[in-house]
Amino acid sequence: MTGTKLPEVDPVTRMQVDESVVGHTEIDESLYSRQLYVLGHEAMKRMGASNVLVVGLKGLGVEIAKNIALAGVKSLTLYDPAPVHISDLSAQFFLAPEDVGIPRHDVTAPRVAELNAYTPVKIHESTGLDADLSQFDKYQVVVLTNTPLQSQKTIGNYCHSKGIYVIVADTFGLFGSIFCDFGENFTVIDPTGETPLSGIVAGIDEEGLVSALDETRHGLEDGDYVTFSEIEGMEGLNGAEPRKITVKGPYTFSIGDVTGLGQYQRGGMYQQVKMPKPINFKDFTTSLKEPEFVVSDFAKFDRPQQLHIGFQALHAFQLSKGRLPDPMDDEDATVLLGAARQLIKEENLEIELDEKLLKELSYQARGDLSPMAAFFGGITAQEILKAVSGKFQPIKQWMYFDSLESLPASTKRSPEVCKPLGSRYDGQIAVFGTEYQEKIANLTQFLVGAGAIGCEMLKNWAMMGLGTGPRGKIFITDMDSIEKSNLNRQFLFRADDVGNMKSDCAAKAVQRMNPDLVGHIQTFKDRVGPDTEGIFDEAFWESLDGVTNALDNVEARTYVDRRCVFFRKPLLESGTLGTKGNTQVVLPHLTESYSSSQDPPEKEFPMCTIRSFPNRIEHTIAWAKEYMFEKCFVKAPQTVNLYLTQPNFVETTLKQGGNQKETLETIRNYLTTERPRTFEDCIAWARMQFETEFTNKIQQLLYNFPKDSETSSGTPFWSGPKRAPDALKFDPNNPTHFGFVVAACQSPCLQLQY
């Protein structure tokens, strides 16, 4: 995803989660704070009551299991009795060479369990998945990976009949697919997860056309629902059932028939209402024959149908041969093409087969790539959370994706160079060949930041064997230490690591995943910036083959970007914020650099609106920031400090600026007349601020403009965004009134400390 440059942070850092939320005991410094911010309490309750089964524990399966364990469900059950093979280590980061021959779930389950003490991890006991279908009745979600097509049909159809959510996912080299079936009457309670929109009504005509304020686009879409309040003249709309709208323009939308509701006079607010959205899913067998596709790349619009046939042909090949096609084997590719043609004939499909594409699928079928497993493991985990929470639009029902652009043009591929070597990198060699494997093993990469994104990057690099060659090297820097709240998304860290440095712990973790990295990683605890150019000097930058940013602030990103452009080093830039994310590949002097563009400025509001006619919660926040923080805690103390420290302040600084009278009054007040001598003085000062702002000023405003006053054109003065206020009478029992005094008295209290 590309677009807005997002930092790897979100507004929530700490929150308590109790048993009613996640189904477990109370968690100190909640591991789930960020999920609560995105999903909400109700969705988290549903997750905490869900039992999830993941079948298949190669690279894709373990990615799904890892993500779900960290997310926090009631229980996670794993099943894969097949013995570990050395090629599994290409993408399965919880396996080691000494595990070869042991059932995958026996090795994987205890290591997944280490990720989250609040998610029990068990092994599914079964003599065979197709033997007794009632074994699935105890699960809310069943996920199938690395499973034969016939088992997908049998299990998928059974779960559909029982109301059990089913997800089927597979990856073959640079190809992948995901199928979702959430039943015939699945309800999405919030398709977007965005905050509901609201605004002020400027007018409603006799045909139901609603006009919003010219200064603000309503942001609604066709089919959205809105409710109304505070409307005068059409009072029947206030508190009525939500109205479905049709967008007529950026500032107008229609709510349909308004006959009998009277004539709009003034005022009113509209509020978007998130309405439940029912979705009907077909069972697996039906959907296989009548597929609905989510297009992942509109430049490859015909690709989903081709791959839908190709994946079925691949399963048919595996069923008949007892194996997947060999890498770059033309005979096997011809057999797969024949199976695809036979399927088209049997189903009477009018499809012109893309033989080159399906040959490539055959060539790569034995590939098991960590980045593809991570990509589809993330998507599958998201679909699981959608299923159990009811939030966000799910995939309906098939999504295919390929990354053929990743095939290198500078290295050769042939049956000889892509054949398995009996090494942990066989899953990658099957796709790219040994020459490519040697090339990435001798790269030198610099990772800036070892947080959530940094952990994922290091894990992928370890599985790929990046930097493991005689000339290979990975540099990691991160100046932060590990906190408990990091553990639910920075999966390289464990509870015992809390308090230790991220770069050191991340390096140790990936060296355990791939011992070939031992001696090839160097860690730093320094920020990358102008003050550390003695550490990250010219020789350091010249030695690099590439740089990856996993940072949480724009300033550091910009600095790294400038250094990469100067030293002509490729940069991978990325960031996340809640459910949103972005990536950007920067090739110096070939593509746009990170610093070449910037996000639009944060939306600002006219000060006259903020001070005199606030009508949105954003206005009140802006007022509080400007009045309480900037005025009391920043500007006034800065002015006083300048007066006290600069001998010629009055003659020079004061005369150069404006508002000399106001500045002198501020200095006088803070140093003499309003300087507190006791804590009681602080409270008295804050209490007087309440009286000034919310009583005296409001009374004066209503004296100048009574509630029934009109403009020169005869229209009510208090209409549209100008809403008549009421003067407040201080009530010490009102928590809002009392809270203002408590907050306001902090300013004089700071003076009292000195």
Side-chain angles (χ1 to χ4, degrees):
M1 174 188 259
T2 59
T4 304
K5 299 167 182 174
L6 301 172
E8 193 189 328
V9 295
D10 63 36
V12 178
T13 56
R14 293 167 62 96
M15 188 178 296
Q16 296 296 314
V17 180
D18 58 26
E19 187 173 1
S20 67
V21 177
V22 295
H24 311 297
T25 56
E26 185 174 324
I27 305 168
D28 183 36
E29 290 189 323
S30 169
L31 296 173
Y32 301 100
S33 60
R34 293 179 181 233
Q35 284 182 211
L36 274 168
Y37 173 68
V38 175
L39 296 175
H41 283 266
E42 185 60 35
M44 289 293 289
K45 286 182 183 179
R46 296 187 185 191
M47 286 173 53
S50 299
N51 302 295
V52 179
L53 170 66
V54 176
V55 175
L57 293 172
K58 295 184 73 175
L60 175 57
V62 77
E63 286 282 358
I64 299 168
K66 175 256 290 182
N67 293 331
I68 293 304
L70 292 172
V73 293
K74 183 177 182 180
S75 73
L76 173 62
T77 306
L78 309 178
Y79 178 79
D80 191 341
V84 174
H85 189 272
I86 188 65
S87 62
D88 295 344
L89 276 64
S90 294
Q92 223 281 34
F93 45 81
F94 281 146
L95 299 180
E98 56 267 26
D99 299 323
V100 171
I102 305 174
R104 290 190 189 117
H105 56 207
D106 287 348
V107 177
T108 305
R111 295 170 186 172
V112 173
E114 293 176 359
L115 295 172
N116 189 350
Y118 302 99
T119 298
V121 179
K122 300 175 288 186
I123 295 175
H124 178 75
E125 302 294 339
S126 175
T127 56
L129 291 178
D130 299 340
D132 179 13
L133 296 177
S134 64
Q135 64 187 299
F136 301 106
D137 292 351
K138 57 187 175 182
Y139 302 109
Q140 280 70 50
V141 185
V142 172
V143 183
L144 303 177
T145 72
N146 196 34
T147 308
L149 182 61
Q150 186 55 48
S151 295
Q152 294 175 8
K153 292 179 180 178
T154 303
I155 297 170
N157 293 345
Y158 176 81
C159 290
H160 182 88
S161 69
K162 291 289 187 174
I164 301 168
Y165 306 136
V166 177
I167 301 175
V168 181
D170 280 305
T171 61
F172 301 100
L174 292 168
F175 297 88
S177 73
I178 183 169
F179 164 82
C180 294
D181 172 16
F182 298 164
E184 295 180 358
N185 297 300
F186 183 75
T187 300
V188 181
I189 58 176
D190 184 354
T192 66
E194 299 290 340
T195 303
L197 300 169
S198 64
I200 297 173
V201 175
I204 305 176
D205 67 15
E206 62 276 4
E207 295 183 356
L209 185 69
V210 180
S211 301
L213 291 178
D214 289 343
E215 66 182 55
T216 308
R217 294 172 179 264
H218 54 66
L220 300 169
E221 298 179 0
D222 283 347
D224 284 346
Y225 286 80
V226 298
T227 57
F228 295 92
S229 60
E230 303 180 35
I231 289 179
E232 296 183 27
M234 287 186 172
E235 284 81 1
L237 288 175
N238 295 332
E241 290 294 315
R243 289 260 187 156
K244 188 175 183 179
I245 68 109
T246 303
V247 173
K248 298 297 183 181
Y251 308 108
T252 57
F253 58 88
S254 174
I255 58 173
D257 185 21
V258 291
T259 304
L261 292 176
Q263 184 174 2
Y264 174 82
Q265 295 178 6
R266 62 181 176 182
M269 302 281 294
Y270 65 84
Q271 175 76 37
Q272 182 188 16
V273 178
K274 298 292 186 75
M275 301 293 286
K277 180 182 178 181
I279 302 179
N280 291 319
F281 289 84
K282 304 171 188 173
D283 63 50
F284 186 89
T285 299
T286 303
S287 184
L288 196 66
K289 294 180 178 294
E290 304 170 2
E292 296 178 71
F293 299 118
V294 172
V295 179
S296 60
D297 187 344
F298 284 95
K300 305 173 181 177
F301 197 76
D302 62 337
R303 203 60 68 82
Q305 182 67 70
Q306 294 285 336
L307 292 180
H308 190 65
I309 298 297
F311 273 53
Q312 293 179 69
L314 195 57
H315 281 288
F317 182 103
Q318 190 173 18
L319 181 64
S320 64
K321 300 284 187 178
R323 62 175 175 84
L324 289 169
D326 288 333
M328 302 300 294
D329 190 301
D330 286 327
E331 290 186 9
D332 283 354
T334 300
V335 174
L336 186 141
L337 283 172
R341 293 191 186 97
Q342 181 65 26
L343 180 63
I344 290 174
K345 182 179 179 180
E346 291 175 356
E347 299 295 332
N348 295 317
L349 301 174
E350 296 182 2
I351 299 174
E352 184 177 346
L353 206 60
D354 186 337
E355 295 187 3
K356 183 179 179 180
L357 177 68
L358 265 62
K359 275 190 175 182
E360 194 61 61
L361 175 62
S362 177
Y363 292 160
Q364 299 186 25
R366 289 201 180 186
D368 191 9
L369 304 177
S370 178
M372 288 294 292
F375 177 70
F376 273 92
I379 293 177
T380 303
Q382 286 181 335
E383 296 306 305
I384 295 170
L385 300 185
K386 291 176 186 179
V388 300
S389 70
K391 287 199 71 171
F392 305 106
Q393 174 71 30
I395 291 174
K396 186 172 184 289
Q397 290 188 255
W398 295 90
M399 190 191 85
Y400 289 91
F401 173 83
D402 71 81
S403 184
L404 294 182
E405 297 83 358
S406 300
L407 288 174
S410 59
T411 56
K412 298 177 181 179
R413 294 191 302 152
S414 68
E416 182 63 26
V417 300
C418 292
K419 68 180 181 181
L421 303 177
S423 79
R424 65 178 301 136
Y425 307 115
D426 279 354
Q428 188 160 279
I429 291 172
V431 177
F432 298 111
T434 52
E435 184 180 341
Y436 178 86
Q437 187 63 43
E438 182 180 350
K439 185 175 182 178
I440 65 171
N442 287 290
L443 293 177
T444 299
Q445 289 286 318
F446 183 27
L447 178 66
V448 188
I453 293 176
C455 284
E456 288 293 323
M457 292 302 301
L458 284 171
K459 175 260 295 177
N460 290 338
W461 291 353
M463 296 297 96
M464 293 163 56
L466 187 146
T468 57
R471 299 183 303 278
K473 193 80 173 180
I474 295 176
F475 297 104
I476 312 168
T477 189
D478 195 309
M479 59 190 298
D480 289 341
S481 60
I482 300 166
E483 300 178 6
K484 191 170 183 180
S485 60
N486 299 148
L487 299 181
N488 83 316
R489 64 193 186 283
Q490 300 175 20
F491 90 106
L492 293 182
F493 309 137
R494 302 292 183 269
D496 292 343
D497 296 323
V498 172
N500 295 319
M501 299 304 295
K502 288 183 178 180
S503 56
D504 289 340
C505 292
K508 291 177 183 177
V510 294
Q511 287 176 81
R512 288 193 297 269
M513 289 180 176
N514 185 356
D516 292 350
L517 279 171
V518 174
H520 293 270
I521 298 182
Q522 182 175 346
T523 62
F524 300 89
K525 292 88 176 173
D526 307 279
R527 67 183 298 251
V528 181
D531 54 334
T532 56
E533 289 181 1
I535 300 172
F536 306 109
D537 55 16
E538 291 190 10
F540 174 84
W541 286 97
E542 292 286 2
S543 71
L544 302 176
D545 293 304
V547 180
T548 298
N549 269 350
L551 290 160
D552 61 0
N553 67 90
V554 173
E555 180 184 1
R557 284 180 160 110
T558 303
Y559 175 83
V560 173
D561 174 68
R562 291 199 304 267
R563 300 298 277 178
C564 287
V565 171
F566 181 82
F567 289 101
R568 296 175 179 262
K569 303 300 179 182
L571 170 66
L572 176 60
E573 166 61 45
S574 59
T576 63
L577 178 63
T579 58
K580 300 178 177 66
N582 73 284
T583 62
Q584 181 181 2
V585 178
V586 178
L587 300 176
H589 307 296
L590 291 177
T591 67
E592 180 183 69
S593 69
Y594 176 84
S595 304
S596 297
S597 63
Q598 60 183 16
D599 294 339
E602 293 292 329
K603 186 172 182 180
E604 296 181 353
F605 306 103
M607 286 309 298
C608 59
T609 299
I610 292 173
R611 291 172 179 169
S612 303
F613 308 114
N615 52 71
R616 298 172 59 182
I617 187 63
E618 294 93 327
H619 298 160
T620 62
I621 294 172
W623 180 88
K625 178 177 180 292
E626 174 68 20
Y627 175 77
M628 288 300 299
F629 192 84
E630 293 293 330
K631 178 183 175 183
C632 297
F633 293 91
V634 179
K635 294 178 181 178
Q638 284 178 345
T639 301
V640 173
N641 287 333
L642 287 173
Y643 172 77
L644 294 174
T645 57
Q646 294 186 4
N648 300 321
F649 175 79
V650 176
E651 292 78 7
T652 58
T653 308
L654 183 59
K655 289 183 178 179
Q656 293 173 5
N659 301 320
Q660 289 91 342
K661 180 175 181 291
E662 181 181 341
T663 302
L664 289 172
E665 287 177 346
T666 299
I667 295 171
R668 179 201 63 190
N669 294 342
Y670 268 66
L671 293 180
T672 58
T673 58
E674 294 185 3
R675 182 174 182 177
R677 299 296 189 269
T678 64
F679 181 68
E680 288 73 15
D681 291 344
C682 298
I683 297 175
W685 181 89
R687 175 65 181 83
M688 289 305 299
Q689 295 306 307
F690 182 97
E691 204 69 23
T692 299
E693 297 295 332
F694 306 124
T695 302
N696 298 343
K697 287 186 177 181
I698 300 302
Q699 289 176 342
Q700 183 62 50
L701 180 64
L702 291 175
Y703 177 81
N704 295 335
F705 300 99
K707 292 187 177 183
D708 58 355
S709 60
E710 296 181 349
T711 65
S712 57
S713 62
T715 59
F717 176 83
W718 295 106
S719 62
K722 294 184 291 188
R723 306 167 69 186
D726 291 305
L728 295 180
K729 183 177 181 180
F730 183 77
D731 180 2
N733 296 317
N734 186 312
T736 304
H737 297 188
F738 187 76
F740 175 86
V741 172
V742 171
C745 77
Q746 300 302 312
S747 178
C749 280
L750 288 176
Q751 298 179 59
L752 185 61
Q753 292 176 16
Y754 293 98

